[in-house]
Amino acid sequence: MDDSQSLNPDFYTLDIGGMTCASCVGRVEKSLSKIPGLEAATVNLATEQARVRLKSNSPATIADIISAIEKTGYQAKLSAAKGIASEKPPKSFWAADGLARVLIGFILSAPLFLPMLLMPFGIHWSLPPLWQLILATPVQFILGWRFYKAGFKSLMAGVGNMDLLVALGTSSAYGLSLYLMLAEGYTVHELYFEGAAVIICMVLLGKWLEARAKRQTSEAIRSLQKLWPEHAKVLDPTLTIDRNTALDQYRDLPLDQVLPKDHILVLPGERIPVDGVILIGNSHVDESLLTGESEALNKQIGSQVIGGSLNGEGVLMIEAQAIGVESVLSKIITLVEEAQTQKAPIQKLVDQVSAIFVPTVIVIALITGLANWIYLDSASLAILRAVSVLVIACPCALGLATPAAIMAGTGVAARFGILIKDPQVLEQAHRLDVVAFDKTGTLTIGHPRMLALIPLISSSTENEILATAAGMQLGSEHPLARALLDAAKERNISPIPSSDSKALTGIGITAKPNSGPWQSRRLCLQSIASLHEHSEYQSILARAQAHLDEGQTISILMDAETPNHPIALCAFGDELKPNAKRAIAALHRIHIHTVMLSGDNTAAATRVAHSIGIDEVFGQIMPGNKAEMIRQLQMRSGTEKRHWVAMVGDGINDAPALASADVGMAMSTGTDVAMQAAGITLMRGDPSLVANAIDISKKTWNKIQQNLFWAFAFNATGIPLAALGYLSPMLAGSAMALSSFCVLSNALLLKRWRPVH
C-alpha cells in the first residue's frame, strides 16, 4: 500500500538523511522549489526534516518529492504520522557518524600528531614518510569517503556545502604531502599527513557530538512519546457495570486496537492509555508531563482523564473517548513537532547568507593561497593557509544556531504546560508591553452559575421563563447555556424543546419554543451589551444595575416578534481563577501593561478587573470588535511608539483577536478554534502561565541571538587568522568542530529553565 494514501495528499513531512550544514538546507530547498505545483517547503537542519505543501491541483506525488531530494545527494523518506510514537533509535556504534569511526580515526592519527606534542620539550621525532602515508590513507579515503561523496554531489548540483570544504581542504594537505614525499624522496620530514588526518577526525568527532546534542534538544518529544503505554486492559463489553462488578474480565490489547466507547481498566500505578471519562472509581492522577501541573489531581466519577497521565492509588474504569492522533497527548506532540520543524523568520537571513557562504569561502581560500605564494614564495605554506581557511569556515554552527535554540526552548516550555507552536512568537514576545485578557474562561473559571432570574412581565412565572430559556440552550456548549440548564436541573424543571435555533455570533441565540406561553414565537436570549441601541435599554439597565455592580453577567430574554418587549433578566456569576491576581502581578513585575476586553457591562467588567489589579478595562466589546481593539492597542493614539500586544483568550469569539495580536495565547480549556488561531497554548488554563510563556520566549530569543552572534563572530575572526597563518589546519579543524558543539551546548542551557512567576 502506498504510504501517501494515508496522509493529507497536499502536505508531507519527510525525514532527510545526509544534511551537514546550512548549505545543505538551502540545497534541498532549492531542489524542492523546482517541483511543479509546489506551494511551500521548509527544511530544518536540527530536526533533519522537510515539510512540503503542494497546491491542490499539483501533478506532483510523494515519489516525485523523494526523487527530487535524492537527486541532490540526500536520502528521504516519509516521516511517521504526526503524534504517533516513532522515536528514532540511537545511532549505532558502527554507523557512518557513530563513535567507532571517530575512535578508529584517532587511533590511526595518534602516531602522526603525537610527535608534535613532543617538540616543545626539544624532542624532534616523526614517523618515516611511508608509515605516515600508510596511516593517513585509510583515514583520508575510508573514514573520509563520506565527505568526498557528499561534496561531489553538491558540486554536481551547482552548490557548495561543508563536505565540499572538508574534502577540498584535506585533499590539498594530503596531496601536498604526497607530492613532497615523491618529489624530494622518502627522507623529507616536512609533511602534512597529520593535518589532513586530524581534520577528518575532528570533523567526525564534531558530527558525533552534534548528533548527541541534537538528540538532547528533541528530548521533550521523546519523553512525551514514552508516556503512551503499549497496551490497554479492555473490559468485556457484555459486562453490566456497577460498583460491585469484578473488573477482572478484560483483554490486554495493543493500543491501536482500542476503539471509542471501549471500557478500559486502569490499575494503580499504571499510565492511562486513552483520553476518557471515569465511570467507576476515584484516584489522584499525575498530569505533570502533559500540563505542567505540579500536584496530582483528584479525579472522581465523571472526571475527564488524559491519555499518558499516571494513575495514583485507585482502580479506575474509564470510557475511551479520544484515541491515537485524536488524543490530547498526540495533539501536544504534534504542536511541539510543528514548532521545532518550522523556521523562525530570522532564519531566512541565515539561509540567504549560507547560500553564498561556501562559494565565498572558496574564493577567499584561493586568494589566500595565491597571496601567500607570491608574498612568501612558498607553495607549501600557501596551500596550508588556504586549507586552514577552507576548514575553519565550515558553516555548521551557522545552520544549527537557530533551530537548536528553538528545539530546546519549545521542548522545555512544553514540560511546564506551555506549547509554543509558532516560532515567530519567539521574535515577538521579547517586545511585548501590553497583554489583553478575555474575561470568561480566561480570568474566571468559565463555569458560571445563574444567580438570579427576574421576570420583566407579570404574565409569566419564573419556572415558565426558565423552562423556555433552558430549552433554547439544549445542545449548546456555551458556559451560560450550561448555567441555565444546570439551574433548571436544580429546580427539577424540564426544559421546553425549541426549533429553528440559530446562534447569533457575539449576541446570543434565537429559537422558537415548541410549547409553553411563547409556543412558535421567535425569542432571543442575548447579552445586555447587544441592546445598547434598544429603546428599552436604559430601563433594562436600571433593573440590572445592582447585579452589574456585583460584577455579574446579564442576559436578556426578548420576544423578537413584539418590539420593545423584554421578557426576563438572567444574572450569572463566575468565580475568578485562583491564580488570576498573581498572574497580573507577575506581568506588572516585568513592566507589562494589562488590559481586559469584555462583552460585559463596563461597570461589571471594571469591578472584576480592579479586584485583581488589571490596569485598563474595555467593557461592552462585541466579539467581532475585539480584533479591532487589539489593532487600536497596537497603534494607540497619543503615543510615539508602536505597542506590541499579546491577547489571551479561550473561546471561538476570541479567535480573530488572537490572530490579530502580535502574540496569541489560548487556554487549552477553551475551544480548538482558539488554539489554532494562537501561537501559544497554555495547557493548564492557568493565567499565571502567561508571564512564564513570555519569559521562556524571551530566553529562547536571547539564545538564538547569542548563537548567531558567536557563529558569525567565529567565522569573521577565524578566517582572517587562518589566512594570515595563525591557525594550522589541525587547529582550524578542532575550532570548527568546537564551534558547532558550543552553539548546541549553549542552546541546551535552556533545558535548565524553570517557571519563575
Side-chain angles (χ1 to χ4, degrees):
M1 184 178 101
D2 184 0
D3 289 339
S4 66
Q5 295 304 310
S6 61
L7 302 175
N8 178 346
D10 301 327
F11 184 86
Y12 302 96
T13 300
L14 300 98
D15 295 326
I16 309 296
M19 293 193 300
T20 56
C21 65
S23 298
C24 299
V25 171
R27 184 175 159 200
V28 175
E29 288 184 340
K30 183 178 179 181
S31 68
L32 291 173
S33 67
K34 297 176 182 177
I35 295 174
L38 179 80
E39 184 172 279
T42 180
V43 180
N44 188 297
L45 176 62
T47 60
E48 296 179 328
Q49 286 189 326
R51 304 175 77 222
V52 181
R53 188 171 66 244
L54 301 175
K55 296 177 182 177
S56 57
N57 59 350
S58 171
T61 64
I62 183 61
D64 297 328
I65 297 172
I66 292 176
S67 176
I69 295 172
E70 290 180 341
K71 284 179 181 177
T72 60
Y74 302 95
Q75 302 85 49
K77 65 177 182 179
L78 272 174
S79 183
K82 287 291 187 183
I84 297 299
S86 57
E87 181 183 355
K88 294 181 180 179
K91 291 285 186 182
S92 167
F93 181 74
W94 298 101
D97 53 356
L99 184 58
R101 289 175 174 258
V102 177
L103 295 177
I104 292 171
F106 276 108
I107 289 171
L108 292 172
S109 303
L112 300 175
F113 69 81
L114 286 178
M116 298 182 63
L117 303 179
L118 301 176
M119 289 182 182
F121 303 100
I123 302 173
H124 296 277
W125 172 86
S126 63
L127 285 174
L130 182 60
W131 277 104
Q132 292 186 45
L133 175 65
I134 291 171
L135 291 173
T137 299
V139 176
Q140 183 73 35
F141 296 109
I142 297 178
L143 300 181
W145 180 248
R146 55 176 289 180
F147 302 115
Y148 286 100
K149 182 180 177 182
F152 177 76
K153 288 182 177 178
S154 73
L155 197 60
M156 291 299 98
V159 293
N161 63 1
M162 183 205 77
D163 300 297
L164 180 62
L165 295 181
V166 172
L168 286 174
T170 58
S171 296
S172 300
Y174 182 91
L176 174 63
S177 301
L178 186 61
Y179 168 78
L180 292 173
M181 191 181 79
L182 296 175
E184 300 183 24
Y186 288 85
T187 58
V188 68
H189 294 287
E190 291 297 324
L191 300 179
Y192 308 101
F193 285 119
E194 82 285 345
V198 171
I199 288 170
I200 288 176
C201 291
M202 291 306 301
V203 175
L204 289 175
L205 176 62
K207 299 307 293 180
W208 178 71
L209 292 172
E210 185 182 298
R212 285 191 64 197
K214 283 197 290 187
R215 188 170 177 82
Q216 289 182 342
T217 60
S218 60
E219 185 179 342
I221 289 179
R222 295 199 309 277
S223 64
L224 288 171
Q225 290 171 336
K226 289 176 182 176
L227 297 181
W228 260 307
E230 294 181 359
H231 295 81
K233 296 179 173 67
V234 180
L235 291 161
D236 187 337
T238 63
L239 283 177
T240 302
I241 302 299
D242 58 39
R243 292 180 180 274
N244 299 317
T245 301
L247 302 178
D248 57 357
Q249 301 181 46
Y250 63 82
R251 289 193 297 160
D252 208 19
L253 297 180
L255 204 56
D256 59 1
Q257 294 183 20
V258 178
L259 301 174
K261 303 297 183 182
D262 277 346
H263 292 169
I264 312 295
L265 176 66
V266 185
L267 300 178
E270 291 185 338
R271 290 208 175 271
I272 296 171
V274 296
D275 295 1
V277 60
I278 296 177
L279 300 179
I280 294 178
N282 60 79
S283 183
H284 284 82
V285 175
D286 181 1
E287 298 179 350
S288 58
L289 286 176
L290 293 164
T291 65
E293 177 61 61
S294 58
E295 297 181 0
L297 303 176
N298 184 29
K299 300 286 186 175
Q300 301 174 344
I301 293 175
S303 297
Q304 296 285 331
V305 290
I306 303 174
S309 53
L310 184 64
N311 184 27
E313 73 284 357
V315 177
L316 301 177
M317 188 188 79
I318 66 174
E319 181 178 271
Q321 293 180 329
I323 301 159
V325 294
E326 297 299 322
S327 66
V328 170
L329 175 55
S330 174
K331 292 175 181 177
I332 292 174
I333 293 174
T334 298
L335 285 174
V336 177
E337 284 179 334
E338 288 179 351
Q340 295 187 346
T341 306
Q342 293 179 37
K343 291 183 180 181
I346 195 172
Q347 185 67 24
K348 295 177 181 177
L349 172 62
V350 177
D351 291 344
Q352 291 171 357
V353 172
S354 298
I356 62 172
F357 189 82
V358 172
T360 303
V361 168
I362 293 174
V363 171
I364 292 174
L366 289 173
I367 294 172
T368 298
L370 290 173
N372 279 275
W373 194 354
I374 295 170
Y375 181 72
L376 299 175
D377 195 25
S378 171
S380 59
L381 284 177
I383 291 174
L384 286 178
R385 292 183 179 183
V387 168
S388 297
V389 170
L390 288 172
V391 173
I392 200 168
C394 292
C396 304
L398 199 60
L400 290 168
T402 300
I406 289 174
M407 290 178 71
T410 55
V412 73
R415 283 179 53 198
F416 292 98
I418 301 165
L419 299 185
I420 301 173
K421 74 171 188 178
D422 183 0
Q424 185 171 351
V425 167
L426 303 172
E427 294 194 27
Q428 306 286 28
H430 72 286
R431 300 170 172 169
L432 289 176
D433 56 358
V434 178
V435 173
F437 289 89
D438 172 51
K439 182 173 80 86
T440 303
T442 302
L443 294 172
T444 65
I445 292 175
H447 299 293
R449 296 180 298 111
M450 192 185 78
L451 302 179
L453 193 154
I454 304 172
L456 300 179
I457 57 174
S458 57
S459 58
S460 298
T461 65
E462 277 191 37
N463 288 353
E464 289 176 329
I465 294 170
L466 182 56
T468 301
M472 294 172 65
Q473 301 285 14
L474 286 171
S476 174
E477 292 298 321
H478 192 280
L480 297 186
R482 292 198 297 269
L484 277 171
L485 292 167
D486 289 344
K489 185 176 181 180
E490 289 172 6
R491 301 187 189 186
N492 293 319
I493 295 173
S494 298
I496 298 173
S498 58
S499 58
D500 197 15
S501 177
K502 296 178 183 177
L504 305 176
T505 304
I507 297 175
I509 190 169
T510 178
K512 294 181 179 181
N514 293 341
S515 60
W518 295 277
Q519 181 177 358
S520 300
R521 293 185 67 81
R522 172 69 62 185
L523 302 185
C524 185
L525 185 63
Q526 59 193 97
S527 67
I528 192 170
S530 66
L531 293 170
H532 65 280
E533 294 183 357
H534 196 281
S535 60
E536 296 292 310
Y537 176 67
Q538 291 302 325
S539 62
I540 294 172
L541 188 61
R543 296 290 300 270
Q545 195 60 53
H547 298 282
L548 293 172
D549 290 342
E550 293 296 322
Q552 296 171 13
T553 300
I554 305 298
S555 291
I556 307 297
L557 183 64
M558 302 286 293
D559 184 344
E561 296 186 6
T562 304
N564 307 329
H565 195 175
I567 297 172
L569 177 153
C570 301
F572 302 92
D574 193 3
E575 295 180 40
L576 283 166
K577 289 183 176 178
N579 290 335
K581 188 171 184 178
R582 187 169 66 182
I584 302 304
L587 291 171
H588 287 162
R589 284 197 296 273
I590 56 177
H591 310 293
I592 287 182
H593 184 76
T594 54
V595 175
M596 178 193 284
L597 305 180
S598 176
D600 286 351
N601 177 271
T602 302
T606 301
R607 183 182 180 91
V608 172
H610 286 177
S611 69
I612 57 176
I614 283 182
D615 299 314
E616 193 172 8
V617 181
F618 295 93
Q620 296 178 235
I621 303 294
M622 300 296 288
N625 296 333
K626 284 186 178 180
E628 179 58 33
M629 284 301 307
I630 294 295
R631 287 188 283 271
Q632 289 182 21
L633 289 171
Q634 290 168 332
M635 307 301 296
R636 178 171 284 187
S637 59
T639 59
E640 296 180 359
K641 65 173 186 176
R642 183 223 198 260
H643 292 282
W644 296 85
V645 181
M647 173 68 193
V648 188
D650 75 320
I652 292 175
N653 56 7
D654 296 321
L658 290 168
S660 298
D662 298 297
V663 176
M665 301 188 192
M667 300 289 183
S668 68
T669 49
T671 63
D672 286 344
V673 174
M675 286 187 277
Q676 288 299 320
I680 296 177
T681 298
L682 308 178
M683 287 306 299
R684 294 202 302 277
D686 182 351
S688 64
L689 288 177
V690 173
N692 291 325
I694 294 172
D695 185 58
I696 183 58
S697 297
K698 285 183 176 181
K699 283 183 167 55
T700 303
W701 172 246
N702 289 339
K703 286 297 179 189
I704 291 173
Q705 290 182 306
Q706 291 169 16
N707 282 350
L708 288 175
F709 170 79
W710 287 115
F712 278 111
F714 172 83
N715 284 299
T717 305
I719 291 175
L721 289 176
L724 294 172
Y726 292 108
L727 287 177
S728 70
M730 282 195 300
L731 286 176
S734 302
M736 185 274 293
L738 185 63
S739 68
S740 296
F741 183 68
C742 289
V743 162
L744 285 163
S745 298
N746 187 46
L748 287 173
L749 291 176
L750 285 168
K751 293 176 65 176
R752 300 164 59 186
W753 178 83
R754 295 294 181 272
V756 294
H757 302 293

PDB file of all heavy atoms in Angstrom, residues 325-340:
ATOM      1  N   VAL A 325      -4.199   9.694  17.304  1.00  0.00           N
ATOM      2  CA  VAL A 325      -3.949  11.058  16.841  1.00  0.00           C
ATOM      3  C   VAL A 325      -5.005  12.049  17.311  1.00  0.00           C
ATOM      4  O   VAL A 325      -4.806  13.257  17.219  1.00  0.00           O
ATOM      5  CB  VAL A 325      -3.842  11.111  15.298  1.00  0.00           C
ATOM      6  CG1 VAL A 325      -2.634  10.352  14.816  1.00  0.00           C
ATOM      7  CG2 VAL A 325      -5.103  10.576  14.641  1.00  0.00           C
ATOM      8  N   GLU A 326      -6.153  11.559  17.808  1.00  0.00           N
ATOM      9  CA  GLU A 326      -7.196  12.451  18.293  1.00  0.00           C
ATOM     10  C   GLU A 326      -7.005  12.816  19.760  1.00  0.00           C
ATOM     11  O   GLU A 326      -7.715  13.663  20.292  1.00  0.00           O
ATOM     12  CB  GLU A 326      -8.573  11.796  18.114  1.00  0.00           C
ATOM     13  CG  GLU A 326      -8.941  11.517  16.672  1.00  0.00           C
ATOM     14  CD  GLU A 326      -8.999  12.794  15.848  1.00  0.00           C
ATOM     15  OE1 GLU A 326      -9.456  13.823  16.377  1.00  0.00           O
ATOM     16  OE2 GLU A 326      -8.571  12.767  14.688  1.00  0.00           O
ATOM     17  N   SER A 327      -6.065  12.180  20.446  1.00  0.00           N
ATOM     18  CA  SER A 327      -5.902  12.384  21.883  1.00  0.00           C
ATOM     19  C   SER A 327      -5.172  13.688  22.179  1.00  0.00           C
ATOM     20  O   SER A 327      -4.489  14.258  21.322  1.00  0.00           O
ATOM     21  CB  SER A 327      -5.137  11.215  22.500  1.00  0.00           C
ATOM     22  OG  SER A 327      -3.813  11.194  22.009  1.00  0.00           O
ATOM     23  N   VAL A 328      -5.297  14.148  23.423  1.00  0.00           N
ATOM     24  CA  VAL A 328      -4.617  15.366  23.850  1.00  0.00           C
ATOM     25  C   VAL A 328      -3.107  15.203  23.735  1.00  0.00           C
ATOM     26  O   VAL A 328      -2.407  16.097  23.253  1.00  0.00           O
ATOM     27  CB  VAL A 328      -5.014  15.713  25.306  1.00  0.00           C
ATOM     28  CG1 VAL A 328      -4.131  16.833  25.852  1.00  0.00           C
ATOM     29  CG2 VAL A 328      -6.478  16.113  25.376  1.00  0.00           C
ATOM     30  N   LEU A 329      -2.588  14.049  24.163  1.00  0.00           N
ATOM     31  CA  LEU A 329      -1.154  13.804  24.097  1.00  0.00           C
ATOM     32  C   LEU A 329      -0.652  13.885  22.659  1.00  0.00           C
ATOM     33  O   LEU A 329       0.393  14.481  22.378  1.00  0.00           O
ATOM     34  CB  LEU A 329      -0.827  12.435  24.702  1.00  0.00           C
ATOM     35  CG  LEU A 329       0.625  11.963  24.610  1.00  0.00           C
ATOM     36  CD1 LEU A 329       1.568  12.988  25.220  1.00  0.00           C
ATOM     37  CD2 LEU A 329       0.783  10.612  25.281  1.00  0.00           C
ATOM     38  N   SER A 330      -1.390  13.305  21.733  1.00  0.00           N
ATOM     39  CA  SER A 330      -0.996  13.353  20.333  1.00  0.00           C
ATOM     40  C   SER A 330      -0.975  14.792  19.818  1.00  0.00           C
ATOM     41  O   SER A 330      -0.068  15.198  19.090  1.00  0.00           O
ATOM     42  CB  SER A 330      -1.951  12.510  19.482  1.00  0.00           C
ATOM     43  OG  SER A 330      -1.657  12.651  18.117  1.00  0.00           O
ATOM     44  N   LYS A 331      -1.978  15.573  20.207  1.00  0.00           N
ATOM     45  CA  LYS A 331      -2.036  16.967  19.761  1.00  0.00           C
ATOM     46  C   LYS A 331      -0.887  17.779  20.344  1.00  0.00           C
ATOM     47  O   LYS A 331      -0.334  18.669  19.678  1.00  0.00           O
ATOM     48  CB  LYS A 331      -3.381  17.578  20.132  1.00  0.00           C
ATOM     49  CG  LYS A 331      -4.551  16.980  19.339  1.00  0.00           C
ATOM     50  CD  LYS A 331      -5.890  17.518  19.807  1.00  0.00           C
ATOM     51  CE  LYS A 331      -7.043  16.892  19.004  1.00  0.00           C
ATOM     52  NZ  LYS A 331      -8.368  17.343  19.480  1.00  0.00           N
ATOM     53  N   ILE A 332      -0.506  17.472  21.600  1.00  0.00           N
ATOM     54  CA  ILE A 332       0.640  18.157  22.202  1.00  0.00           C
ATOM     55  C   ILE A 332       1.901  17.843  21.413  1.00  0.00           C
ATOM     56  O   ILE A 332       2.685  18.729  21.063  1.00  0.00           O
ATOM     57  CB  ILE A 332       0.808  17.735  23.673  1.00  0.00           C
ATOM     58  CG1 ILE A 332      -0.362  18.258  24.526  1.00  0.00           C
ATOM     59  CG2 ILE A 332       2.132  18.244  24.239  1.00  0.00           C
ATOM     60  CD1 ILE A 332      -0.341  17.758  25.953  1.00  0.00           C
ATOM     61  N   ILE A 333       2.118  16.554  21.120  1.00  0.00           N
ATOM     62  CA  ILE A 333       3.302  16.148  20.371  1.00  0.00           C
ATOM     63  C   ILE A 333       3.322  16.821  19.001  1.00  0.00           C
ATOM     64  O   ILE A 333       4.355  17.296  18.534  1.00  0.00           O
ATOM     65  CB  ILE A 333       3.352  14.614  20.231  1.00  0.00           C
ATOM     66  CG1 ILE A 333       3.589  13.974  21.609  1.00  0.00           C
ATOM     67  CG2 ILE A 333       4.436  14.181  19.261  1.00  0.00           C
ATOM     68  CD1 ILE A 333       3.504  12.460  21.604  1.00  0.00           C
ATOM     69  N   THR A 334       2.154  16.873  18.357  1.00  0.00           N
ATOM     70  CA  THR A 334       2.069  17.491  17.032  1.00  0.00           C
ATOM     71  C   THR A 334       2.445  18.967  17.092  1.00  0.00           C
ATOM     72  O   THR A 334       3.200  19.463  16.251  1.00  0.00           O
ATOM     73  CB  THR A 334       0.651  17.334  16.458  1.00  0.00           C
ATOM     74  OG1 THR A 334       0.360  15.943  16.313  1.00  0.00           O
ATOM     75  CG2 THR A 334       0.533  18.017  15.107  1.00  0.00           C
ATOM     76  N   LEU A 335       1.929  19.682  18.107  1.00  0.00           N
ATOM     77  CA  LEU A 335       2.247  21.102  18.232  1.00  0.00           C
ATOM     78  C   LEU A 335       3.739  21.315  18.459  1.00  0.00           C
ATOM     79  O   LEU A 335       4.354  22.212  17.869  1.00  0.00           O
ATOM     80  CB  LEU A 335       1.448  21.719  19.390  1.00  0.00           C
ATOM     81  CG  LEU A 335      -0.038  21.963  19.143  1.00  0.00           C
ATOM     82  CD1 LEU A 335      -0.717  22.435  20.421  1.00  0.00           C
ATOM     83  CD2 LEU A 335      -0.247  22.995  18.052  1.00  0.00           C
ATOM     84  N   VAL A 336       4.341  20.491  19.320  1.00  0.00           N
ATOM     85  CA  VAL A 336       5.771  20.634  19.593  1.00  0.00           C
ATOM     86  C   VAL A 336       6.582  20.291  18.349  1.00  0.00           C
ATOM     87  O   VAL A 336       7.546  20.983  18.004  1.00  0.00           O
ATOM     88  CB  VAL A 336       6.190  19.749  20.785  1.00  0.00           C
ATOM     89  CG1 VAL A 336       7.697  19.835  21.013  1.00  0.00           C
ATOM     90  CG2 VAL A 336       5.454  20.170  22.054  1.00  0.00           C
ATOM     91  N   GLU A 337       6.193  19.220  17.643  1.00  0.00           N
ATOM     92  CA  GLU A 337       6.893  18.832  16.413  1.00  0.00           C
ATOM     93  C   GLU A 337       6.826  19.944  15.376  1.00  0.00           C
ATOM     94  O   GLU A 337       7.824  20.271  14.721  1.00  0.00           O
ATOM     95  CB  GLU A 337       6.286  17.554  15.835  1.00  0.00           C
ATOM     96  CG  GLU A 337       6.684  16.290  16.568  1.00  0.00           C
ATOM     97  CD  GLU A 337       6.031  15.059  15.966  1.00  0.00           C
ATOM     98  OE1 GLU A 337       4.959  15.177  15.350  1.00  0.00           O
ATOM     99  OE2 GLU A 337       6.591  13.972  16.129  1.00  0.00           O
ATOM    100  N   GLU A 338       5.645  20.540  15.220  1.00  0.00           N
ATOM    101  CA  GLU A 338       5.488  21.594  14.221  1.00  0.00           C
ATOM    102  C   GLU A 338       6.342  22.803  14.571  1.00  0.00           C
ATOM    103  O   GLU A 338       6.958  23.422  13.706  1.00  0.00           O
ATOM    104  CB  GLU A 338       4.014  21.986  14.099  1.00  0.00           C
ATOM    105  CG  GLU A 338       3.175  20.924  13.401  1.00  0.00           C
ATOM    106  CD  GLU A 338       1.710  21.316  13.314  1.00  0.00           C
ATOM    107  OE1 GLU A 338       1.336  22.328  13.946  1.00  0.00           O
ATOM    108  OE2 GLU A 338       0.950  20.614  12.631  1.00  0.00           O
ATOM    109  N   ALA A 339       6.369  23.143  15.868  1.00  0.00           N
ATOM    110  CA  ALA A 339       7.178  24.292  16.288  1.00  0.00           C
ATOM    111  C   ALA A 339       8.648  24.039  16.026  1.00  0.00           C
ATOM    112  O   ALA A 339       9.384  24.933  15.596  1.00  0.00           O
ATOM    113  CB  ALA A 339       6.941  24.576  17.768  1.00  0.00           C
ATOM    114  N   GLN A 340       9.109  22.804  16.276  1.00  0.00           N
ATOM    115  CA  GLN A 340      10.527  22.503  16.116  1.00  0.00           C
ATOM    116  C   GLN A 340      10.915  22.324  14.654  1.00  0.00           C
ATOM    117  O   GLN A 340      12.091  22.406  14.307  1.00  0.00           O
ATOM    118  CB  GLN A 340      10.881  21.247  16.926  1.00  0.00           C
ATOM    119  CG  GLN A 340      10.726  21.473  18.425  1.00  0.00           C
ATOM    120  CD  GLN A 340      11.229  20.322  19.256  1.00  0.00           C
ATOM    121  OE1 GLN A 340      11.470  19.229  18.748  1.00  0.00           O
ATOM    122  NE2 GLN A 340      11.380  20.541  20.544  1.00  0.00           N
TER     123      GLN A 340
END
